[in-house]
Amino acid sequence: SSLTIAETVQSKESFESKARDHGVRIEHYHADNSRFADNAFRDHVKAAGQSLSFCGLNAHWQNGVAEKGIRDIKEKAQTMLLHVIDKWLGAITTFLWPYTMQHAVNVRNSTPFKHEDQSPMEKFPPP
């Protein structure tokens, strides 16, 4: 189920509060044309002194950083799942795909990127 516009704005406020706790001010949003195109969201962005731009329909290349991250996670999960299927033939199936994806996300968030000394979770920990 998707969020209502009120829940979307509340999520935006919660995210920005967390970012402020870490010394980060959100200046710009680049979003799809779903809930983020609603006037209430646009008005909230404007009132906060932020800017907003939109991706074109089916224009995944317009958000290359996010798309690359998604592809990396998918490829890591695929590699892990194929490896365990090969090692435990018959015991492991593709029904574990959602868990493998979650594990790949956890690994990505817990591992520092090249030339960095902190992982994403260390930079921006959960509450």
Side-chain angles (χ1 to χ4, degrees):
S1 69
S2 63
L3 298 176
T4 66
I5 188 60
E7 291 168 329
T8 301
V9 169
Q10 183 180 15
S11 295
K12 175 186 176 294
E13 290 172 345
S14 178
F15 170 71
E16 290 172 359
S17 174
K18 184 70 173 172
R20 278 192 303 276
D21 290 347
H22 292 277
V24 175
R25 181 185 182 283
I26 308 301
E27 297 178 359
H28 179 80
Y29 285 94
H30 186 64
D32 60 26
N33 286 306
S34 61
R35 182 67 67 198
F36 307 107
D38 287 353
N39 286 334
F41 189 84
R42 289 176 184 246
D43 293 345
H44 199 271
V45 167
K46 187 175 181 180
Q50 299 162 325
S51 58
L52 175 65
S53 61
F54 295 100
C55 296
L57 186 62
N58 292 322
H60 302 289
W61 63 87
Q62 291 185 353
N63 199 356
V65 174
E67 293 298 328
K68 171 77 165 85
I70 292 166
R71 188 179 76 224
D72 289 350
I73 289 167
K74 187 186 92 171
E75 289 174 355
K76 176 65 79 179
Q78 184 177 28
T79 300
M80 289 188 290
L81 189 57
L82 290 173
H83 175 75
V84 297
I85 287 172
D86 181 57
K87 296 296 180 193
W88 292 283
L89 194 59
I92 305 294
T93 70
T94 57
F95 287 120
L96 294 175
W97 177 250
Y99 301 102
T100 310
M101 283 289 288
Q102 185 60 55
H103 181 64
V105 168
N106 292 341
V107 168
R108 181 180 174 90
N109 288 338
S110 302
T111 307
F113 293 128
K114 191 183 274 189
H115 307 298
E116 294 188 19
D117 60 345
Q118 289 183 306
S119 71
M121 290 302 286
E122 290 172 315
K123 291 181 184 179
F124 205 48

